[in-house]
Amino acid sequence: MPYRQTGSLARRAAAVLLLFALLPALLLGLALSAWYGRSDARHSAAMLGSMADGAELALRGYLARHRDAIATIAEVPTLRSDFSVATLTPRLRLLQKMYPGMLTTFAAAADGAVLVASPEHDAAGRGYYWQGVNLAERDYFRAALRNRAVAVTGLFHSHGYGQGMQVGIAAPVYDPQGRLLGVVGAVLDPDKLQADLGELAGPENALALLDAQGRVVAASPGLGLTRGVPAHDDSTLRHALALPVDHVADVDPGPLMERRGLREMLPNGWQVVALGPRQLFAHAWLLALGLLGLLLVLVSISLRLLIRGATRRLLAPVNTLADALARFDPSGSAELPPGLRAAPRELRPIVDALEAHAALIQALLAQREETLAEREHEIEQRTRELRRAVDALAESARTDALTGLTNYRGWRELADTLWAEARQQHGEVAAIACDIDHFKAYNDTYGHGAGDACLRRVATALQASLQRDARVLARSGGEEFIALILPAQRRHIQELAEAARAAVAALAIPHSGSTRGHVTLSLGFSVMLADPDARLDVLLRAADLALYRAKRNGRDQVAELSVSALQKLRNEE
C-alpha cells in the first residue's frame, strides 16, 4: 500500500485546532438560532393572526347579510298577517334574486311542513321536490323556535336544489298577537366562503372554517379537504384543534420541518384554523446544529490549508524512511538498505528496531519452512485416511444394516448404472423380485426380534443362491428383495429363482401362520432386451406383476411374465 502524504500527525494537529474553534462556533450558532426563532415567531404570529381575522370578517359579513335578510323578511307585516303560499312565494323569489348565495329559500308551517320553496325544482330538475318534506327535526328549524330569533346552524345534508353539505339559516314568524305562524329560511352555499379562504390564505398558507360540530365548512385548496369531513379525520387539523385558542404554536412538528397554526373561536360555536407553511430548521436547536455544522466545515477546510505546508516539511524524512522501507525485503536479507541507515537521529530508534526485526524474520522464515514440510507430510497422510473413511461411509450408506445386502438407495444407483451398461451392450437383463410369504403374520406371532432374525437368514440364503450370478442383490423393502442379472438367459434365470426358493424352504424356519408350516418365498422374474426403446421401470414392473401372480397362485413358487405380456405392458406404458 503506498504511503499517504496526510498521515495521523496532520489529523491530530487539525483535531486540536478544531477543538479550540468548536466552542465559539457553538455559541455563535446558538445565538443566531435564538434570534431567528424569536423573529420567525413574531412574523408567524402576525401573519396567522391576519389570516384568522380576515377569515372571521369574511364569515361574519357572509352570515350577517344573509341572517339580516331572513330576519327582515320574517318581520314583514304582510307575512305576519297573511302567512300563506300566495303571499310567501313572490317574496321568497325576490329574496333569492337579491342574495345569490341563497341556493334555496323556503317557508314552513309551525309543525315543520314545507309550504313553499324557491326554486320549486331540485338540482336534477324534479319539480315540487319539497312537497311532503318536514323540517321539524332540522337543527336550524328547532334553533329558530327555541331562540325565538333568526338562527344559523352548521352543515347539514341538503336534498333540494343545492344538494350536498350546506349551511341552514331560519327565522320564526309570529302574528301580531305573538302566535307562531311558521318559519322562513334559506339554504346557503359555502362556495363563496371557500373562494374567500383561498384568497386570504394564498399559495403557501392554509385556512379552514369549521362548524360547531367540528366539520369542515370551507378550506383553502392547499389542504385538499372535502366539505363536511370531520376535522379530526385530518392529522393536521386534529393537531390544530388541540392548540389553545388565540395562541400560535407548532402543529404536526417533524424532526426537520414544522408548521405553525392559530385557532380562533367564531360566533355560533364555529372555529377558524390558520396554518403557516412548513419551514426547514424551524426549531432553534436544529438551526443551531446546522449553523454549527457549516462553521465546522469552514474551519476544517481552513485548518487543512494552513497545516498542509507545515505537515509536508515535517513528514519529509518520514517519507524518505517509508520509501526505503517499502523497497526492503527482510525475507531476502537481514541487511538494511543505505536509505534506512542514513535516517535522521530522531528516527534512529525506528531503524534499530527494524534491524532487530529483520534478523528475527530470517529466523522465523527458516522455522516456517521446516514446519511447512512437516505439515505437508501430515496433511497428505490425513488426506489418505479421510479418503478411505469417505469410501467406507459411502459403502455403509448403500448397505442395509440388518441383512448386509444393498439397501434401496444403493439399489437405485447400481440399477441405473447396470441398465446403462446393458443398453450399450444390447444384451438381455433379468429382474427377480422376491417376497417372504405371510411375513406380517410371522412378525405378529413371533415378534419383531424373530422377524429380524428371519430376514437375516433369508438374505443369507439368497446370497448363497443368487450372489454369484446377480450383478445387484438388494433389500428393496421390509420383506422384499430384488436382483438384477446381466447377461441373462431365461432358462438360467428360472433355475436361479427356483434355487433361491428352495434354499429358503430348506431353512425350515417354523411359521404357524403359513400353510407349509415354515417360512416360504415367492418369486417373480422377467427378462428384457435392453434396446434403445426399453425402460428399466417397465422391466421392474413386469417382475413385480410376476411376483403378484406367484402370490395369487398359492405362494412358495416362481412365476414369470412372458415376453408377449411384457411387450403388451411396454405398449401400454
Side-chain angles (χ1 to χ4, degrees):
M1 178 182 294
Y3 183 75
R4 296 179 60 183
Q5 182 69 18
T6 303
S8 60
L9 294 178
R11 288 197 299 269
R12 291 180 182 179
V16 172
L17 295 176
L18 186 62
L19 183 61
F20 282 100
L22 179 61
L23 183 59
L26 178 60
L27 294 176
L28 179 59
L30 290 176
L32 289 176
S33 64
W35 172 83
Y36 172 81
R38 288 194 299 269
S39 175
D40 183 64
R42 290 193 298 269
H43 174 72
S44 297
M47 177 189 66
L48 295 177
S50 298
M51 290 169 50
D53 292 342
E56 181 178 2
L57 290 175
L59 176 65
R60 287 179 182 274
Y62 179 79
L63 295 180
R65 61 177 177 269
H66 293 93
R67 183 177 62 246
D68 293 344
I70 294 297
T72 300
I73 198 173
E75 295 295 331
V76 173
T78 305
L79 293 183
R80 297 182 64 184
S81 60
D82 183 14
F83 194 75
S84 64
V85 173
T87 307
L88 290 166
T89 300
R91 286 166 174 79
L92 292 180
R93 290 177 179 174
L94 177 62
L95 182 66
Q96 190 175 21
K97 290 181 180 180
M98 295 175 62
Y99 297 93
M102 296 182 180
L103 293 176
T104 304
T105 55
F106 62 86
D111 61 356
V114 176
L115 300 176
V116 63
S118 178
E120 297 176 347
H121 58 84
D122 60 10
R126 292 172 297 190
Y128 301 101
Y129 71 94
W130 47 268
Q131 291 185 355
V133 176
N134 193 290
L135 306 180
E137 296 302 322
R138 297 288 174 90
D139 290 341
Y140 55 82
F141 185 88
R142 291 187 296 177
L145 297 185
R146 182 174 59 251
N147 299 330
R148 300 179 63 86
V150 62
V152 179
T153 62
L155 292 176
F156 73 97
H157 192 79
S158 173
H159 297 280
Y161 181 76
Q163 294 187 1
M165 302 301 294
Q166 311 294 346
V167 176
I169 183 170
V173 180
Y174 296 93
D175 65 7
Q177 289 73 35
R179 290 176 298 182
L180 178 67
L181 299 177
V183 172
V184 292
V187 176
L188 305 183
D189 182 8
D191 286 345
K192 180 63 169 60
L193 287 175
Q194 186 89 15
D196 291 343
L197 292 188
E199 294 178 0
L200 288 171
E204 295 184 352
N205 304 312
L207 277 169
L209 186 64
L210 312 178
D211 65 6
Q213 286 73 39
R215 296 170 298 186
V216 176
V217 178
S220 56
L223 291 176
L225 297 175
T226 304
R227 185 186 306 159
V229 173
H232 283 280
D233 291 351
D234 182 78
S235 60
T236 301
L237 291 183
R238 184 167 59 250
H239 287 94
L241 290 177
L243 298 176
V245 178
D246 298 329
H247 179 71
V248 177
D250 297 339
V251 180
D252 63 347
L256 294 179
M257 303 183 71
E258 70 174 15
R259 174 180 287 174
R260 290 177 178 169
L262 173 66
R263 180 170 70 98
E264 290 189 358
M265 297 301 298
L266 303 178
N268 303 315
W270 288 31
Q271 302 180 68
V272 62
V273 176
L275 301 171
R278 294 181 65 85
Q279 300 178 14
L280 182 64
F281 288 139
H283 295 288
W285 64 272
L286 286 175
L287 178 63
L289 290 179
L291 293 174
L292 178 60
L294 178 60
L295 289 173
L296 289 179
V297 170
L298 295 176
V299 171
S300 300
I301 295 175
S302 301
L303 291 178
R304 183 178 180 86
L305 295 176
L306 289 174
I307 67 173
R308 176 176 295 179
T311 303
R312 185 182 297 111
R313 290 192 296 272
L314 178 63
L315 296 180
V318 178
N319 291 336
T320 302
L321 180 62
D323 293 338
L325 184 59
R327 295 191 296 270
F328 173 54
D329 183 10
S331 62
S333 174
E335 289 292 330
L336 296 179
L340 290 179
R341 293 186 177 276
R345 182 175 61 256
E346 291 80 5
L347 300 179
R348 284 302 305 172
I350 299 177
V351 176
D352 295 339
L354 288 174
E355 191 170 13
H357 278 80
L360 178 60
I361 289 174
Q362 289 293 321
L364 291 176
L365 287 175
Q367 183 179 357
R368 186 191 66 175
E369 293 297 331
E370 181 180 353
T371 303
L372 286 177
E374 295 176 357
R375 294 299 184 206
E376 288 178 358
H377 176 71
E378 183 179 351
I379 290 172
E380 183 178 357
Q381 183 177 359
R382 294 285 179 85
T383 302
R384 290 196 297 269
E385 294 175 356
L386 180 61
R387 188 177 295 111
R388 288 195 294 269
V390 170
D391 294 341
L393 180 62
E395 182 63 26
S396 65
R398 293 193 295 267
T399 302
D400 179 52
L402 179 63
T403 63
L405 299 179
T406 302
N407 59 17
Y408 183 77
R409 174 185 174 183
W411 141 253
R412 290 307 309 180
E413 294 177 358
L414 296 173
D416 293 338
T417 303
L418 178 66
W419 185 255
E421 179 184 341
R423 294 186 68 174
Q424 291 178 354
Q425 299 176 0
H426 300 288
E428 289 189 323
V429 182
I432 303 177
C434 314
D435 186 87
I436 300 176
D437 298 325
H438 304 295
F439 187 71
K440 183 179 184 305
Y442 186 90
N443 268 338
D444 294 342
T445 303
Y446 299 99
H448 289 283
D452 292 345
C454 175
L455 285 171
R456 283 192 292 268
R457 295 184 65 184
V458 170
T460 302
L462 291 176
Q463 282 181 308
S465 55
L466 299 178
Q467 188 72 47
R468 186 180 63 181
D469 296 278
R471 294 284 296 275
V472 181
L473 176 59
R475 181 187 176 195
S476 57
E479 68 273 16
E480 301 173 356
F481 302 88
I482 188 73
L484 287 180
I485 301 172
L486 174 71
Q489 295 182 355
R490 178 187 171 283
R491 184 179 185 83
H492 181 59
I493 299 303
Q494 186 169 12
E495 292 174 354
L496 287 175
E498 286 290 348
R501 185 200 62 77
V504 172
L507 295 175
I509 302 173
H511 188 359
S512 60
S514 174
T515 56
R516 303 288 196 275
H518 58 82
V519 173
T520 59
L521 189 70
S522 296
L523 301 95
F525 74 91
S526 183
V527 182
M528 173 186 284
L529 178 63
D531 56 30
D533 296 330
R535 289 163 43 193
L536 176 61
D537 57 339
V538 176
L539 174 63
L540 297 177
R541 184 176 175 188
D544 283 339
L545 291 177
L547 173 61
Y548 296 151
R549 181 180 296 175
K551 292 283 189 180
R552 288 196 304 270
N553 292 340
R555 296 183 172 84
D556 190 24
Q557 58 183 277
V558 177
E560 177 193 7
L561 187 66
S562 65
V563 175
S564 59
L566 176 60
Q567 185 63 39
K568 181 179 179 181
L569 178 62
R570 291 177 62 186
N571 292 336
E572 292 176 356
E573 292 291 333

